[in-house]
PDB file of all heavy atoms in Angstrom:
ATOM      1  N   HIS A  20      -4.175 -12.146  -6.868  1.00 31.00           N
ATOM      2  CA  HIS A  20      -2.681 -12.439  -6.882  1.00 31.00           C
ATOM      3  C   HIS A  20      -2.065 -11.525  -7.926  1.00 31.00           C
ATOM      4  O   HIS A  20      -2.005 -11.818  -9.133  1.00 31.00           O
ATOM      5  CB  HIS A  20      -2.318 -13.819  -7.157  1.00 31.00           C
ATOM      6  CG  HIS A  20      -2.702 -14.667  -6.013  1.00 31.00           C
ATOM      7  ND1 HIS A  20      -3.927 -15.393  -5.942  1.00 31.00           N
ATOM      8  CD2 HIS A  20      -2.065 -14.895  -4.869  1.00 31.00           C
ATOM      9  CE1 HIS A  20      -3.931 -15.951  -4.791  1.00 31.00           C
ATOM     10  NE2 HIS A  20      -2.838 -15.688  -4.136  1.00 31.00           N
ATOM     11  N   VAL A  21      -1.648 -10.449  -7.279  1.00 31.00           N
ATOM     12  CA  VAL A  21      -1.238  -9.234  -8.117  1.00 31.00           C
ATOM     13  C   VAL A  21      -0.437  -9.605  -9.292  1.00 31.00           C
ATOM     14  O   VAL A  21       0.655  -9.768  -9.249  1.00 31.00           O
ATOM     15  CB  VAL A  21      -0.509  -8.270  -7.164  1.00 31.00           C
ATOM     16  CG1 VAL A  21      -0.508  -6.978  -7.945  1.00 31.00           C
ATOM     17  CG2 VAL A  21      -1.186  -8.174  -5.908  1.00 31.00           C
ATOM     18  N   THR A  22      -1.045  -9.320 -10.311  1.00 29.00           N
ATOM     19  CA  THR A  22      -0.585  -9.466 -11.724  1.00 29.00           C
ATOM     20  C   THR A  22       0.934  -9.155 -11.755  1.00 29.00           C
ATOM     21  O   THR A  22       1.577  -8.700 -10.814  1.00 29.00           O
ATOM     22  CB  THR A  22      -1.316  -8.610 -12.622  1.00 29.00           C
ATOM     23  OG1 THR A  22      -1.167  -7.183 -12.094  1.00 29.00           O
ATOM     24  CG2 THR A  22      -2.769  -8.866 -12.431  1.00 29.00           C
ATOM     25  N   ALA A  23       1.360  -8.990 -12.929  1.00 33.00           N
ATOM     26  CA  ALA A  23       2.833  -8.663 -13.137  1.00 33.00           C
ATOM     27  C   ALA A  23       3.195  -7.502 -12.504  1.00 33.00           C
ATOM     28  O   ALA A  23       2.606  -6.402 -12.517  1.00 33.00           O
ATOM     29  CB  ALA A  23       2.967  -8.534 -14.621  1.00 33.00           C
ATOM     30  N   LYS A  24       4.391  -7.667 -11.777  1.00 33.00           N
ATOM     31  CA  LYS A  24       4.967  -6.450 -11.066  1.00 33.00           C
ATOM     32  C   LYS A  24       6.175  -6.048 -11.700  1.00 33.00           C
ATOM     33  O   LYS A  24       7.229  -6.687 -11.462  1.00 33.00           O
ATOM     34  CB  LYS A  24       5.165  -6.882  -9.628  1.00 33.00           C
ATOM     35  CG  LYS A  24       3.999  -6.678  -8.748  1.00 33.00           C
ATOM     36  CD  LYS A  24       4.419  -6.425  -7.305  1.00 33.00           C
ATOM     37  CE  LYS A  24       3.237  -6.104  -6.442  1.00 33.00           C
ATOM     38  NZ  LYS A  24       2.525  -4.915  -7.047  1.00 33.00           N
ATOM     39  N   PRO A  25       6.229  -5.014 -12.479  1.00 34.00           N
ATOM     40  CA  PRO A  25       7.455  -4.476 -12.990  1.00 34.00           C
ATOM     41  C   PRO A  25       8.388  -3.857 -12.027  1.00 34.00           C
ATOM     42  O   PRO A  25       9.562  -3.445 -12.249  1.00 34.00           O
ATOM     43  CB  PRO A  25       6.923  -3.474 -14.009  1.00 34.00           C
ATOM     44  CG  PRO A  25       5.610  -3.127 -13.405  1.00 34.00           C
ATOM     45  CD  PRO A  25       5.059  -4.278 -12.794  1.00 34.00           C
ATOM     46  N   ILE A  26       7.917  -3.836 -10.705  1.00 32.00           N
ATOM     47  CA  ILE A  26       8.807  -3.260  -9.685  1.00 32.00           C
ATOM     48  C   ILE A  26       9.962  -4.196  -9.292  1.00 32.00           C
ATOM     49  O   ILE A  26       9.658  -5.430  -9.027  1.00 32.00           O
ATOM     50  CB  ILE A  26       7.943  -2.967  -8.365  1.00 32.00           C
ATOM     51  CG1 ILE A  26       6.916  -2.020  -8.685  1.00 32.00           C
ATOM     52  CG2 ILE A  26       8.961  -2.495  -7.230  1.00 32.00           C
ATOM     53  CD1 ILE A  26       5.580  -2.470  -8.392  1.00 32.00           C
ATOM     54  N   ASP A  27      11.046  -3.611  -9.349  1.00 38.00           N
ATOM     55  CA  ASP A  27      12.238  -4.523  -9.150  1.00 38.00           C
ATOM     56  C   ASP A  27      12.535  -4.312  -7.631  1.00 38.00           C
ATOM     57  O   ASP A  27      13.317  -3.477  -7.234  1.00 38.00           O
ATOM     58  CB  ASP A  27      13.418  -4.054 -10.001  1.00 38.00           C
ATOM     59  CG  ASP A  27      13.573  -2.553 -10.042  1.00 38.00           C
ATOM     60  OD1 ASP A  27      12.630  -1.898  -9.595  1.00 38.00           O
ATOM     61  OD2 ASP A  27      14.548  -2.175 -10.433  1.00 38.00           O
ATOM     62  N   ALA A  28      12.003  -5.170  -6.785  1.00 41.00           N
ATOM     63  CA  ALA A  28      12.381  -5.184  -5.449  1.00 41.00           C
ATOM     64  C   ALA A  28      13.689  -6.079  -5.440  1.00 41.00           C
ATOM     65  O   ALA A  28      13.591  -7.164  -5.652  1.00 41.00           O
ATOM     66  CB  ALA A  28      11.293  -5.732  -4.597  1.00 41.00           C
ATOM     67  N   HIS A  29      14.642  -5.406  -4.915  1.00 42.00           N
ATOM     68  CA  HIS A  29      15.893  -6.061  -5.038  1.00 42.00           C
ATOM     69  C   HIS A  29      16.115  -7.220  -4.065  1.00 42.00           C
ATOM     70  O   HIS A  29      16.661  -8.165  -4.252  1.00 42.00           O
ATOM     71  CB  HIS A  29      17.105  -5.141  -4.790  1.00 42.00           C
ATOM     72  CG  HIS A  29      17.109  -4.003  -5.706  1.00 42.00           C
ATOM     73  ND1 HIS A  29      16.170  -3.084  -6.013  1.00 42.00           N
ATOM     74  CD2 HIS A  29      18.010  -3.740  -6.760  1.00 42.00           C
ATOM     75  CE1 HIS A  29      16.361  -2.249  -6.979  1.00 42.00           C
ATOM     76  NE2 HIS A  29      17.609  -2.696  -7.435  1.00 42.00           N
ATOM     77  N   GLU A  30      15.398  -7.121  -2.898  1.00 44.00           N
ATOM     78  CA  GLU A  30      15.494  -8.223  -1.993  1.00 44.00           C
ATOM     79  C   GLU A  30      14.123  -8.912  -1.977  1.00 44.00           C
ATOM     80  O   GLU A  30      13.042  -8.364  -2.104  1.00 44.00           O
ATOM     81  CB  GLU A  30      15.727  -7.642  -0.554  1.00 44.00           C
ATOM     82  CG  GLU A  30      16.893  -6.661  -0.444  1.00 44.00           C
ATOM     83  CD  GLU A  30      17.348  -6.387   0.959  1.00 44.00           C
ATOM     84  OE1 GLU A  30      17.129  -7.350   1.825  1.00 44.00           O
ATOM     85  OE2 GLU A  30      17.757  -5.393   1.280  1.00 44.00           O
ATOM     86  N   PRO A  31      14.301 -10.148  -1.840  1.00 45.00           N
ATOM     87  CA  PRO A  31      12.993 -11.059  -1.954  1.00 45.00           C
ATOM     88  C   PRO A  31      12.005 -10.724  -0.914  1.00 45.00           C
ATOM     89  O   PRO A  31      10.825 -10.605  -1.277  1.00 45.00           O
ATOM     90  CB  PRO A  31      13.665 -12.428  -1.769  1.00 45.00           C
ATOM     91  CG  PRO A  31      14.859 -12.318  -1.073  1.00 45.00           C
ATOM     92  CD  PRO A  31      15.465 -11.016  -1.558  1.00 45.00           C
ATOM     93  N   TRP A  32      12.460 -10.508   0.282  1.00 45.00           N
ATOM     94  CA  TRP A  32      11.397 -10.282   1.280  1.00 45.00           C
ATOM     95  C   TRP A  32      10.745  -9.029   1.103  1.00 45.00           C
ATOM     96  O   TRP A  32       9.514  -8.802   1.411  1.00 45.00           O
ATOM     97  CB  TRP A  32      12.145 -10.305   2.739  1.00 45.00           C
ATOM     98  CG  TRP A  32      13.164  -9.209   2.992  1.00 45.00           C
ATOM     99  CD1 TRP A  32      14.331  -9.197   2.617  1.00 45.00           C
ATOM    100  CD2 TRP A  32      12.812  -7.855   3.355  1.00 45.00           C
ATOM    101  NE1 TRP A  32      14.965  -8.005   2.825  1.00 45.00           N
ATOM    102  CE2 TRP A  32      13.964  -7.182   3.317  1.00 45.00           C
ATOM    103  CE3 TRP A  32      11.651  -7.210   3.864  1.00 45.00           C
ATOM    104  CZ2 TRP A  32      14.173  -5.868   3.687  1.00 45.00           C
ATOM    105  CZ3 TRP A  32      11.778  -5.949   4.261  1.00 45.00           C
ATOM    106  CH2 TRP A  32      13.054  -5.298   4.147  1.00 45.00           C
ATOM    107  N   MET A  33      11.400  -8.092   0.465  1.00 48.00           N
ATOM    108  CA  MET A  33      10.769  -6.753   0.262  1.00 48.00           C
ATOM    109  C   MET A  33       9.631  -6.858  -0.818  1.00 48.00           C
ATOM    110  O   MET A  33       8.689  -6.089  -0.663  1.00 48.00           O
ATOM    111  CB  MET A  33      11.767  -5.887  -0.336  1.00 48.00           C
ATOM    112  CG  MET A  33      11.714  -4.448   0.164  1.00 48.00           C
ATOM    113  SD  MET A  33      13.159  -3.555  -0.032  1.00 48.00           S
ATOM    114  CE  MET A  33      12.798  -2.169   1.032  1.00 48.00           C
ATOM    115  N   ARG A  34       9.656  -7.742  -1.737  1.00 52.00           N
ATOM    116  CA  ARG A  34       8.588  -7.947  -2.629  1.00 52.00           C
ATOM    117  C   ARG A  34       7.397  -8.148  -1.851  1.00 52.00           C
ATOM    118  O   ARG A  34       6.248  -7.692  -2.106  1.00 52.00           O
ATOM    119  CB  ARG A  34       8.918  -9.009  -3.620  1.00 52.00           C
ATOM    120  CG  ARG A  34       8.885  -8.610  -5.064  1.00 52.00           C
ATOM    121  CD  ARG A  34       8.870  -9.603  -6.026  1.00 52.00           C
ATOM    122  NE  ARG A  34       9.670 -10.812  -5.688  1.00 52.00           N
ATOM    123  CZ  ARG A  34      10.947 -11.072  -5.876  1.00 52.00           C
ATOM    124  NH1 ARG A  34      11.605  -9.956  -6.417  1.00 52.00           N
ATOM    125  NH2 ARG A  34      11.544 -12.068  -5.610  1.00 52.00           N
TER     126      ARG A  34
END
Side-chain angles (χ1 to χ4, degrees):
Chain A
H20 287 98
V21 188
T22 64
K24 274 205 171 305
I26 297 126
D27 46 347
H29 296 63
E30 306 191 35
W32 63 270
M33 216 162 197
R34 237 196 325 275

